[in-house]
Amino acid sequence: MIGSTALMALTAVPVIALVAAPTTAMAQSQTGSLRVTITSGGQPVSGATVTVSSPDSLVTRTGVTDADGRARIASLDPSTNYTVMVSAAGYSDFSANDVAVVSGQDRSVGYSLASAGDTASLDDIIVTGTSLAAVDVTSATVGTTLTLDTVESLPTGRNYQSYLQLVPGTKPSSGNPSSRSGVNYSDVGGAIGSSTDNVYYLDGVDVTDPLTGTFGSNFNSEIIQEQQVIVGGVPAEYAGGSGLISRVITKSGSNEWHGSLNYYFQNDNLVANDEHLTSAGFSTYDSAVTLGGPILRDRLWIFGSYQVKHREDDVLDGTTGALLRSVTNDAEYAFAKATWQVTNDDRLSVSWFSDPTDISGSSSPSVLNNRDTARVQGGDNYRVDYTRTMGDLLINAYWFQHTGELSVLAADQSVRNTISYRGAGSTLAQRLRGGAGTNYESSRDREEYGLNFEYFLDTGFGTHTFKAGYNRTDNSYTENSTIPGGATYTSIDQARAGTTFADFTSSAGGWTTRPFSQGDQPRIQAAILASPTARAFVDTNADGMISASEVNAITFSSTAGNPHGQVNAARTVQAVTNPYTVSSEGQAVYLQDTWTLDQLTINAGLRAERWEHFASDGSQVATFDWDVAPRLSVVYDLVGDGRSKIFGFVGRYYDPVRNNMSDFAGALTGPVNNEQIIVNGEWLTFRVRGGATTPDALFAPTTKTPYTDEYMLGYSTTFGSSIGFSATVTHRATRDILEDFDLALYSDPNATAADGAHGYAFPGSPFYIPLSYFGYTSTPNSNYVIGTLPGGERNYTGFELTLTKYKTDNWFGQASYTHNAAEGNSNSDSNADFQGDWVALDPRAPNVYGQQPGNIKHQFKAYGAYDFDFGLQVAGVFNWNSGALYTPSQLIYGRYFAPMSAPYQYYGVTDSYLSQPPGTETGPSYYTFDMRFKYEHALPFGNAEFFLDIFNVLNNQAATDEQKLVSGSGLYAYQEATNWVAPRRAYVGVRFSF
């Protein structure tokens, strides 16, 4: 039963009250509902007819109030301009405008009627309070709902990824922001500012890239009807949850023809001087057209959009200021949608969109011309959706297909050669010789179909909203790659000829990059034994065996055949070139019930997922059977007036293994690359990557799906009629982290304590992992084994405060503060990192646990907009953060690892362990302040809008990142600033709409 006291206190939310409000109860369905309560003199009015309509919806729906004065109107399209009309015998007719409906939410509104002939004013008739429904007292889900009106009032980038920066707690990013416990750092390149934990939905379909875990599609932001962003308390109908969930619903048209034409531009004349010589001349424009309307009024609507985006940049050398290159970025985003209301209860929707993009090169000054690459990306997306409403039962079925390309072409087709120098002082050009080293064409395709059900049941003991669903997903990844010149090299500075293997793998060496580690010793020893000449040269004691000390004594001095006359050390030779395809198949089911009894609401749900991965020869390489994720929330309306609530949530989110691991373990018919070391002038293959002879990796039979458990408490309330406040405290624990393992290092049952002296785990050592842990009785035939990382964990605790001013008196705004504390011993995030390849990096090793790199401890965000009566709107956005944590690092295998100590023994295993825990340094703290000026002018036909965005109004070109490599990058020295807030710049636009 709906809590009658709460409902009678509620009233409709005005159109702008939702534009960027924290919202809750977000669900998978594409429609929303209204629970309407009608009273008069404090008593329920039964038999009243409630009619709900909107120009954005194809259908008008009605209901009749029951004995308690209640009516539930379901299957409403999301919009902020609904009209609720109420008529009842003996009472004056009543209507309320600008009532908001949010997809997936069951919002409550209440009205008090006057008796027929009563001359009371409207203020006397409607229960006072204009933002009461902003607190959803039936949900523990935490998130934000954005409309196009909001984002077009504020200075943001013109894409849905930029809109995510308006959400409290999202960290700075160029497209895939981390939120709360989401990983914000990668060892590869030491990159900060991109998360692979997010999930992106478009019209209810998951469009996340199945290979990378980042957004998989782009589109014109003007097609957005509503964008919901969930950051906590995620209900069972959603995949993901360890990061944010972005959910976009697109426009459908209306009974009137509406359209727009816009043009935005910017060039270097609108930009202040760059104080850091990282950019020069540039120009950009963005133009789009939209059109929607009826083919058959009230039955068949269409909506379409086409957008062209172009940008050209001159990239400068960060040291000299000389022009490096000019790069272009050209994109075309097309969208078309048809919505057919077959009957009042049956709807069919068909949509298509595409996003082809050509990028001629990198705009980063740290990328040399010879290492530059061009990209071609984008594809086509098709969707068919059918919905049937049967009273309180809603049934939805959909089909979706995505075909996408991502291809990369090296600008320089010469042989790649990375030179390792000892200590600081070398330049980037000295270190990075030759081209990028690879060309590849890839496609990332996805097909999905699903069924969703929703049923509302009103009983004598509360109301229930049941939801259930099933979907099946087929992902495939196809790649065809080549290496220019057939090989890539890692060489030693010719001034260091005579360097030994021991010296080159030593952490104390201060090398700018290292292609080997002591963990490679077993394979190198086997390769030497297989070569009579190399064995004779290395086996100095002539015992017929190759010891670790003998490998350590190998010297590198030959320059023969080196593409740049440097000292040969390591190279990778492509022995076989062949295109291949790997795939995965997933199934998911969910069931949940939202039960409301008076002031108490309990939401209980289960989500189960199953995934299978297939190699390029069609064989199955892994099965992750049904993982069940329970989710439970409890919400209590504190005084029963719908204005305040306390809530709690506990739940589990699984992070399914992506197609990058299908690729790692399944490229059996693709390219074959031989990793080689030079010994006495002879190149020896010590590891073969790819091919079926020795698979690069196998999924261990015992591998588990990574998961995150969330525990959250929160409080929300409203003050007066237009101010909302919310506070949440969240703890998350991530476990069963995925990693790949070198079993020769960790699981050799014949290893002894003597091997521990050379960095190997042995039986009896706490680092030793028996084969049975992986589900094996004998060592499998593969380079690596993908398994669950023993002792791996990430822990997050944070709190967030948000104050929202809903739009009244011509203005709205929001301010939020977020505190994040994140610790752990692994950054692996559904990918193969390095912690199973080196004991010194094992989660159980010294100094591995610490503060998570990439975490930002403190964030403050604020925005607001004010409308003047003469058509001018002024808005501003302010963001501040305390700086991202990072670890002083050295570059090994292209990864950023903390400096290592001199070798010492730890529980029987001697290694160069980390000399300090991670996250000990903090990057620059900085702020940004941006403004938008928008002027709207009515024309005889349509409206004209003029936009002026000014980013970095105060021209505070503060550092945003600094060099983490202790030996420097060759361009920037250690802790020298590497990135800055872009100079003050203006962005000008105009739009005609009708």
Side-chain angles (χ1 to χ4, degrees), residues 97-122:
N97 298 321
D98 295 334
V99 178
V101 172
V102 177
S103 64
Q105 294 194 22
D106 217 1
R107 288 187 160 264
S108 300
V109 294
Y111 307 105
S112 178
L113 300 183
S115 299
D118 195 330
T119 59
S121 69
L122 189 62

Side-chain angles (χ1 to χ4, degrees), residues 821-891:
E823 297 181 338
N825 53 24
S826 176
N827 289 303
S828 183
D829 189 27
S830 188
N831 64 347
D833 209 327
F834 220 78
Q835 291 190 277
D837 306 321
W838 199 343
V839 169
L841 303 176
D842 188 288
R844 300 161 295 179
N847 289 324
V848 176
Y849 190 93
Q851 298 186 89
Q852 286 289 102
N855 182 47
I856 298 175
K857 290 186 176 181
H858 306 282
Q859 291 179 266
F860 176 78
K861 296 187 176 190
Y863 63 75
Y866 184 85
D867 294 340
F868 292 91
D869 295 335
F870 55 89
L872 176 66
Q873 182 184 71
V874 179
V877 175
F878 178 86
N879 290 322
W880 171 86
N881 71 79
S882 60
L885 302 183
Y886 71 90
T887 306
S889 302
Q890 55 185 330
L891 188 64

Side-chain angles (χ1 to χ4, degrees), residues 651-653 707-711 731-735:
R652 174 165 292 186
Y653 311 129
Y707 69 86
T708 296
D709 285 337
E710 179 178 62
Y711 309 87
H731 176 74
R732 289 179 173 180
T734 300
R735 299 295 187 270

Side-chain angles (χ1 to χ4, degrees), residues 147-407:
T147 68
L148 193 59
D149 289 336
T150 304
V151 297
E152 291 199 339
S153 296
L154 300 172
T156 65
R158 283 179 41 80
N159 55 70
Y160 73 102
Q161 299 95 334
S162 294
Y163 301 160
L164 298 175
Q165 290 298 317
L166 297 173
V167 177
T170 56
K171 298 179 179 66
S173 172
S174 60
N176 293 284
S178 168
S179 174
R180 299 196 176 187
S181 66
V183 173
N184 194 42
Y185 171 80
S186 172
D187 288 336
V188 179
I192 291 177
S194 183
S195 174
T196 60
D197 293 314
N198 302 335
V199 178
Y200 300 91
Y201 287 96
L202 181 67
D203 284 335
V205 178
D206 186 349
V207 295
T208 314
D209 189 317
L211 188 81
T212 64
T214 57
F215 65 85
S217 298
N218 287 295
F219 48 83
N220 178 10
S221 60
E222 292 187 37
I223 72 173
I224 297 175
Q225 177 74 18
E226 171 187 279
Q227 182 176 3
Q228 298 178 349
V229 185
I230 306 174
V231 296
V234 181
E237 63 258 48
Y238 288 102
S242 57
L244 62 81
I245 297 173
S246 171
R247 186 168 176 269
V248 169
I249 296 177
T250 60
K251 295 179 179 179
S252 298
S254 67
N255 264 335
E256 304 293 334
W257 285 100
H258 294 280
S260 66
L261 175 64
N262 63 52
Y263 182 81
Y264 296 81
F265 75 93
Q266 185 183 68
N267 58 40
D268 50 289
N269 293 322
L270 299 173
V271 179
N273 290 331
D274 190 333
E275 300 171 0
H276 306 290
L277 297 177
T278 58
S279 64
F282 80 98
S283 64
T284 181
Y285 66 81
D286 172 353
S287 183
V289 59
T290 67
L291 181 65
I295 301 299
L296 296 174
R297 290 180 60 86
D298 297 323
R299 284 301 175 199
L300 179 60
W301 289 355
I302 61 171
F303 181 82
S305 169
Y306 179 74
Q307 181 181 32
V308 176
K309 304 181 78 170
H310 169 82
R311 182 180 178 98
E312 183 172 356
D313 287 275
D314 290 337
V315 184
L316 301 183
D317 185 294
T319 302
T320 66
L323 178 66
L324 285 176
R325 59 187 171 275
S326 295
V327 298
T328 58
N329 185 326
D330 292 288
E332 299 178 35
Y333 302 154
F335 176 82
K337 182 178 181 180
T339 306
W340 180 24
Q341 194 72 39
V342 184
T343 71
N344 282 345
D345 296 320
D346 296 272
R347 175 177 294 184
L348 179 67
S349 175
V350 179
S351 61
W352 162 84
F353 69 95
S354 67
D355 58 346
T357 303
D358 293 326
I359 305 172
S360 69
S362 172
S363 58
S364 171
S366 63
V367 176
L368 301 178
N369 285 343
N370 56 296
R371 290 293 179 95
D372 198 19
T373 58
R375 294 163 61 97
V376 176
Q377 63 187 52
D380 293 291
N381 303 267
Y382 307 87
R383 176 179 170 272
V384 179
D385 184 280
Y386 169 75
T387 301
R388 168 74 174 171
T389 302
M390 303 169 62
D392 289 322
L393 175 64
L394 184 146
I395 303 173
N396 170 263
Y398 69 89
W399 169 85
F400 172 80
Q401 183 182 70
H402 166 79
T403 58
E405 173 191 7
L406 176 58
S407 298

Side-chain angles (χ1 to χ4, degrees), residues 39 65 135 165 299 346 383 494 574 676 697 786 834 858 875:
T39 62
T65 58
V135 175
Q165 290 298 317
R299 284 301 175 199
D346 296 272
R383 176 179 170 272
Q494 58 184 349
Q574 189 165 60
Q676 299 180 336
I786 301 170
F834 220 78
H858 306 282

Side-chain angles (χ1 to χ4, degrees), residues 402-607:
H402 166 79
T403 58
E405 173 191 7
L406 176 58
S407 298
V408 175
L409 179 67
D412 185 335
Q413 293 292 309
S414 64
V415 174
R416 176 188 177 105
N417 192 7
T418 300
I419 316 302
S420 185
Y421 287 81
R422 194 164 193 169
S426 56
T427 67
L428 200 62
Q430 289 174 317
R431 299 180 187 184
L432 306 180
R433 312 283 184 91
T438 186
N439 304 307
Y440 70 86
E441 300 173 357
S442 71
S443 62
R444 307 167 186 200
D445 300 337
R446 185 185 196 119
E447 186 171 22
E448 180 174 302
Y449 61 83
L451 289 168
N452 295 291
F453 304 89
E454 181 178 331
Y455 181 65
F456 177 79
L457 177 65
D458 194 351
T459 72
F461 198 66
T463 65
H464 296 266
T465 301
F466 298 101
K467 295 181 181 180
Y470 168 84
N471 68 62
R472 177 188 171 92
T473 304
D474 296 316
N475 299 318
S476 66
Y477 173 72
T478 300
E479 181 181 307
N480 185 17
S481 63
T482 59
I483 295 178
T488 62
Y489 286 74
T490 301
S491 307
I492 298 173
D493 169 23
Q494 58 184 349
R496 297 290 179 178
T499 294
T500 65
F501 183 89
D503 190 16
F504 198 30
T505 56
S506 169
S507 60
W511 298 98
T512 56
T513 188
R514 290 154 58 187
F516 309 116
S517 72
Q518 285 292 327
D520 292 321
Q521 282 251 12
R523 291 185 174 88
I524 293 174
Q525 290 169 5
I528 294 172
L529 285 171
S531 168
T533 55
R535 182 175 66 243
F537 178 77
V538 177
D539 185 14
T540 54
N541 62 4
D543 63 356
M545 303 296 293
I546 302 298
S547 66
S549 59
E550 288 172 327
V551 172
N552 282 332
I554 294 172
T555 59
F556 301 105
S557 56
S558 170
T559 61
N562 190 278
H564 298 92
Q566 304 297 312
V567 176
N568 292 315
R571 72 177 184 182
T572 298
V573 177
Q574 189 165 60
V576 176
T577 301
N578 201 39
Y580 67 97
T581 299
V582 296
S583 62
S584 61
E585 297 176 0
Q587 299 179 77
V589 295
Y590 68 88
L591 175 65
Q592 70 180 48
D593 175 26
T594 302
W595 173 54
T596 300
L597 177 64
D598 296 324
Q599 294 165 237
L600 176 68
T601 297
I602 297 176
N603 181 295
L606 294 174
R607 181 180 183 86

Side-chain angles (χ1 to χ4, degrees), residues 137 139 634-638 644-648 713-716:
V137 293
S139 172
V634 179
V635 188
Y636 188 74
D637 182 350
L638 285 173
S644 301
K645 69 176 180 180
I646 56 173
F647 55 93
L713 293 174
Y715 168 76
S716 296

